[in-house]
């Protein structure tokens, strides 16, 4: 989620991530998706940007990182979250800087974990076109020798 925060220059951050990866190294990213899901939580944690999978792919390719996997996840939360955030914008007299996320009771959290596991499998398998997050895995290509001795 590093790229998401205000004050982070995503180009410099990705360049540094690529620099420190060994050839063949793996970069795993999870980023908030879709600007329409922006809410008070984003403001509370200084979240600046939300991404679409195509944007993440372009960012990775622009830094010579080969995308191995990219997909949305938390698709099952997309519509409830969208409605919650729209309702929050509608009802709020002035923007609140507190997060609109909360820790649910243990029984509900267990249920949500089960739903999340099913969702992760469905999103990875069927590449659903929406979700509250973008998950990406990229590889730094091994350097090719340009005919020089090792």
């Amino acid at each position: 989620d590093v790229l998401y925060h205000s004050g982070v220059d995503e180009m410099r951050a990705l360049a540094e991530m690529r620099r420190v990866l060994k050839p063949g190294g793996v970069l795993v990213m999870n980023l908030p998706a879709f600007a329409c899901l922006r809410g008070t939580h984003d403001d509370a944690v200084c979240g600046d940007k939300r991404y679409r999978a195509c944007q993440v792919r372009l960012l990775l390719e622009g830094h010579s990182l080969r995308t191995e996997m990219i997909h949305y996840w938390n698709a099952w939360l997309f519509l409830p979250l969208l409605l919650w955030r729209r309702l929050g914008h509608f009802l709020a007299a002035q923007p609140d800087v507190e997060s609109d996320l909360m820790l649910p009771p243990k029984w509900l959290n267990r249920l949500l974990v089960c739903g999340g596991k099913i969702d992760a499998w469905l999103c990875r398998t069927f590449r659903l076109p929406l979700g509250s997050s973008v998950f990406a895995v990229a590889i730094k290509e091994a350097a090719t020798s340009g005919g020089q001795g090792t």
Side-chain angles (χ1 to χ4, degrees), residues 18-26 139-144:
R18 184 184 188 291
R19 186 189 72 76
V20 299
L21 278 174
K22 294 179 181 179
V26 178
I139 306 288
K140 179 178 179 178
E141 298 284 2
T144 58

Side-chain angles (χ1 to χ4, degrees), residues 143-150:
T144 58
S145 68
Q148 299 188 17
T150 54

Side-chain angles (χ1 to χ4, degrees), residues 2-130:
V2 171
L3 300 183
Y4 157 73
H5 294 284
S6 63
V8 173
D9 180 333
E10 65 187 15
M11 297 306 218
R12 286 185 59 204
L14 276 168
E16 182 63 7
M17 290 176 200
R18 184 184 188 291
R19 186 189 72 76
V20 299
L21 278 174
K22 294 179 181 179
V26 178
L27 174 64
V28 177
M29 298 176 67
N30 186 64
L31 296 164
F34 295 103
C36 64
L37 296 180
R38 184 167 178 77
T40 57
H41 177 75
D42 298 284
D43 296 329
V45 298
C46 299
D48 188 39
K49 306 172 246 355
R50 284 183 161 267
Y51 296 84
R52 296 184 61 124
C54 59
Q55 292 172 300
V56 175
R57 183 181 303 280
L58 287 173
L59 283 169
L60 294 170
E61 289 172 357
H63 286 84
S64 300
L65 295 164
R66 185 182 78 238
T67 304
E68 286 290 303
M69 175 190 306
I70 188 162
H71 61 84
Y72 294 107
W73 72 288
N74 279 329
W76 68 310
L77 293 176
F78 183 87
L79 188 56
L81 186 56
L82 179 63
L83 293 173
W84 176 256
R85 298 275 164 91
R86 292 305 110 205
L87 184 62
H89 287 307
F90 178 72
L91 295 178
Q94 60 180 342
D96 196 354
V97 289
E98 292 183 17
S99 176
D100 59 349
L101 300 180
M102 61 198 103
L103 188 60
K106 285 184 181 184
W107 67 268
L108 180 56
N109 197 48
R110 286 187 198 111
L111 184 64
L112 292 171
V113 166
C114 291
K117 288 179 181 181
I118 294 167
D119 174 85
W121 178 82
L122 287 170
C123 289
R124 186 175 56 251
T125 304
F126 296 106
R127 302 288 195 248
L128 300 179
L130 53 83

